[in-house]
Amino acid sequence: MVTGPVRDQQTVNPDGTRIAQRIAGVQIRAAVTQEDDRGTVCEICSPEWDFDDAPLVYAYQTTIRPQKIKGWVVHAEQDDRLFFSMGSVRVVLYDARADAPTYGMINELYFSAHNRGLLRIPRGMYHAIQNIGETDALFINLPTRSYDHAHPDKFRLPLDTDLIPYHFTDRLGG
């Protein structure tokens, strides 16, 4: 029963920084896109940024079709470093690390061609990526270890699992 309008909660400070607590170990580095009459260039990752200590050892590109979701995935031995460059996505993180100060926390992060960025997801953290746009979304992964084809460091749960307190069908906007 609706008794009247409900005031929105504050989500950002006056300087534009988000108020929501980020899960421990998650890092985001906003990307800068340089544009001229020929097109654009956007740096993805550089050791000079002190973003993370792990060397660049492997890279691959992934696309997600419109309105599709990839996840839930967790890694035991590697961190993911995802660079979002095209399309619009919602990244949902669930901290399943029992020893983390943010154990059980959920983060929703948004990236697009207008909000490019490099995201570090620590091992032990479930993540799912939803394309919320109308075109294919594209991201590049620079994981902290090379892919082992014989023994992939990738463990999955179904999207509708009750082990993660997040349901994509509940997030239809409002």
Side-chain angles (χ1 to χ4, degrees):
M1 177 169 81
V2 177
T3 58
V6 176
R7 181 184 303 268
D8 278 355
Q9 296 292 312
Q10 182 180 3
T11 58
V12 297
N13 288 315
D15 67 358
T17 57
R18 291 200 171 272
I19 291 172
Q21 180 183 4
R22 188 164 300 139
I23 293 173
V26 173
Q27 292 174 259
I28 299 173
R29 184 182 191 281
V32 176
T33 300
Q34 304 296 331
E35 183 173 8
D36 64 22
D37 63 319
R38 300 166 297 158
T40 64
V41 65
C42 183
E43 293 178 311
I44 294 173
C45 188
S46 172
E48 295 173 7
W49 297 345
D50 293 325
F51 184 76
D52 147 9
D53 298 358
L56 299 176
V57 295
Y58 184 72
Y60 64 91
Q61 176 177 291
T62 300
T63 61
I64 304 174
R65 303 262 184 244
Q67 309 307 310
K68 297 297 182 178
I69 304 169
K70 289 192 175 190
W72 295 106
V73 173
V74 68
H75 305 290
E77 300 174 21
Q78 75 181 44
D79 296 352
D80 277 341
R81 294 177 289 201
L82 307 179
F83 182 79
F84 297 94
S85 59
M86 294 182 68
S88 297
V89 299
R90 172 188 359 227
V91 180
V92 182
L93 307 174
Y94 173 67
D95 193 351
R97 302 168 300 167
D99 60 342
T102 51
Y103 173 73
M105 184 180 282
I106 296 278
N107 279 171
E108 284 182 312
L109 308 170
Y110 294 85
F111 296 91
S112 71
H114 302 288
N115 183 37
R116 294 175 177 167
L118 180 62
L119 170 65
R120 180 179 168 266
I121 304 172
R123 65 198 77 189
M125 189 170 305
Y126 281 93
H127 49 288
I129 304 170
Q130 180 181 22
N131 182 340
I132 57 175
E134 301 300 321
T135 61
D136 282 4
L138 183 144
F139 66 90
I140 295 169
N141 193 355
L142 308 157
T144 56
R145 71 189 287 261
S146 293
Y147 187 72
D148 182 344
H149 292 81
H151 303 343
D153 179 31
K154 189 174 282 193
F155 303 88
R156 297 180 186 272
L157 286 174
L159 285 174
D160 62 352
T161 182
D162 288 330
L163 297 175
I164 297 175
Y166 186 95
H167 300 284
F168 286 90
T169 55
D170 297 342
R171 306 301 200 269
L172 299 177

